Amino acid sequence: MIWLSGAVYSFREAEEVFARVGHLHVSASSIWRRKEAWGAQFKRVEEAERQKANTLASANSFRERVLGSDKRMGVSMDGTTVHILGEKGRELKVGCCFDIDVFPTWNKETQEWEDLAHAVNNSYVAHLGKPEPLGELLWTEAKQRGWERAKDRQAIADAASWIWTNVVPQHFYDARQAVDWYHATEHLSNVAKWMHGEETPATKKWYKKAQVQLYQGHAQQIANELREIAATCPEHTEDLKREANFFENNKRRMQYFELREDGFVIGSGMVESACKQYKARFCGPGMRWSRKGIEQLIKVDPFVKTTKWSK
């Protein structure tokens, strides 16, 4: 019951699966009560693990760092809005912990096989509210998976300030940092449209040139160019200045060529897809949740999505 209603299905849909596939009558309310009970148990387990992982370092954790391993790991974070009764839309913050594996991948643009990094063995945590608890939960998951012993570490996400101001400096300060490539190129796309209009040859030409610059690690050059353009584009002056600040402030996280060469991922699709799944599960037509109800469901889903379920 919990597994069926965990990731995608609503309680009504899970009831229908039991009836049509299992030939069993299990009401949606029964599934809800069972998931509510398990959600409370998972919440207690999660809290115990969080407290243990976020206490002062022990001698055992020091030995783990000294021993090390050949493992390469990464973390990523993102957020999505959910609806809660009596409250305005709240951000559900999602964290992903993954292993990094490099293997041959077909590149559609170059029409060649390339050795590219991928996120594998993904596991997830989620928190409704402030970033600090999400950071502690993600650190707990990463630590349990061997973060301190990993040879290489990476933190990748979009440019949300809570990620790079609150979570990464507190828990993943020694990780190689990267802003999601696709998020960064969306900013370039917006700039191109402001300057040259929608889908014009000049728009495509400027975007392609800037994309190559960005991939080669020249975010500062892009920022300088945008400031120059802002002075001659009164309609979008403030927008262009804001985008210039975006590229300048994140330039050290935009060394995409080096990241690829060193075997790191440059996209945060692993956590964005999880956010989409949460959105699909909790934001269907007419869905509204009490805070207590959705918090218990949120605690179930990471167990369903990962190998924790088998434990």
Side-chain angles (χ1 to χ4, degrees):
M1 283 188 279
I2 299 162
W3 182 79
L4 276 176
S5 61
V8 177
Y9 293 128
S10 68
F11 300 114
R12 285 292 175 201
E13 289 168 335
E15 177 185 2
E16 185 176 351
V17 170
F18 272 105
R20 298 184 63 178
V21 179
H23 303 290
L24 297 170
H25 175 67
V26 183
S27 68
S29 59
S30 295
I31 298 172
W32 157 250
R33 285 193 296 271
R34 181 53 53 191
K35 192 168 183 181
E36 186 178 39
W38 276 87
Q41 293 187 51
F42 286 145
K43 189 174 182 178
R44 287 193 291 270
V45 171
E46 183 184 78
E47 178 60 21
E49 292 177 344
R50 185 191 64 80
Q51 290 185 10
K52 181 179 179 181
N54 288 276
T55 54
L56 292 176
S58 63
N60 287 335
S61 65
F62 175 76
R63 282 194 293 270
E64 286 182 352
R65 289 194 295 272
V66 173
L67 289 172
S69 73
D70 292 331
K71 194 173 187 178
R72 306 178 73 237
M73 294 182 64
V75 292
S76 187
M77 291 138 277
D78 201 357
T80 188
T81 303
V82 295
H83 304 292
I84 303 175
L85 289 171
E87 301 182 30
K88 293 183 178 180
R90 294 292 182 179
E91 186 175 48
L92 174 64
K93 293 177 172 63
V94 181
C96 176
C97 182
F98 56 89
D99 296 333
I100 302 172
D101 191 13
V102 178
F103 51 83
T105 307
W106 181 252
N107 189 319
K108 293 181 180 179
E109 291 190 9
T110 63
Q111 295 293 297
E112 294 179 347
W113 288 95
E114 297 180 19
D115 287 333
L116 298 179
H118 297 266
V120 298
N121 303 325
N122 303 341
S123 57
Y124 300 94
V125 296
H127 177 74
L128 186 64
K130 295 182 179 180
E132 288 80 8
L134 186 280
E136 292 184 355
L137 292 173
L138 187 55
W139 167 245
T140 301
E141 179 66 15
K143 185 175 182 179
Q144 290 178 338
R145 290 185 52 168
W147 181 268
E148 294 173 302
R149 298 191 304 274
K151 179 178 69 172
D152 293 313
R153 309 174 185 91
Q154 176 182 18
I156 184 168
D158 64 21
S161 61
W162 64 268
I163 295 172
W164 304 110
T165 303
N166 299 89
V167 178
V168 173
Q170 177 68 23
H171 300 287
F172 307 103
Y173 53 87
D174 58 350
R176 184 82 168 266
Q177 297 183 15
V179 166
D180 170 64
W181 162 254
Y182 305 99
H183 177 77
T185 57
E186 284 179 359
H187 284 257
L188 292 179
S189 178
N190 290 334
V191 170
K193 292 173 184 176
W194 294 335
M195 292 166 51
H196 303 291
E198 294 277 349
E199 299 298 323
T200 66
T203 299
K204 295 177 181 178
K205 182 178 180 180
W206 187 91
Y207 173 75
K208 194 65 179 178
K209 176 181 73 72
Q211 191 183 44
V212 172
Q213 278 184 300
L214 183 63
Y215 185 76
Q216 293 175 343
H218 302 310
Q220 183 64 62
Q221 291 183 15
I222 294 173
N224 294 341
E225 181 180 353
L226 295 185
R227 288 198 175 92
E228 292 178 4
I229 297 170
T232 61
C233 187
E235 186 178 354
H236 293 289
T237 297
E238 294 305 316
D239 294 326
L240 291 167
K241 287 181 179 178
R242 185 181 65 251
E243 293 301 323
N245 290 335
F246 166 76
F247 286 104
E248 183 165 358
N249 294 340
N250 290 287
K251 59 187 177 183
R252 69 186 180 91
R253 304 185 183 107
M254 294 180 170
Q255 303 300 316
Y256 298 110
F257 181 79
E258 291 182 7
L259 286 162
R260 273 277 173 87
E261 288 293 300
D262 293 342
F264 290 102
V265 300
I266 64 171
S268 58
M270 74 295 288
V271 73
E272 291 174 11
S273 63
C275 284
K276 290 178 181 177
Q277 291 181 48
Y278 277 110
K279 192 79 171 177
R281 178 62 186 87
F282 296 127
C283 297
M287 286 187 180
R288 294 294 185 273
W289 305 89
S290 68
R291 174 168 283 275
K292 179 182 177 182
I294 195 170
E295 283 181 344
Q296 289 179 335
L297 295 185
I298 289 168
K299 300 308 176 185
V300 173
D301 283 11
F303 283 79
V304 175
K305 287 181 170 69
T306 67
T307 55
K308 286 183 176 182
W309 181 254
S310 62
K311 297 177 183 179

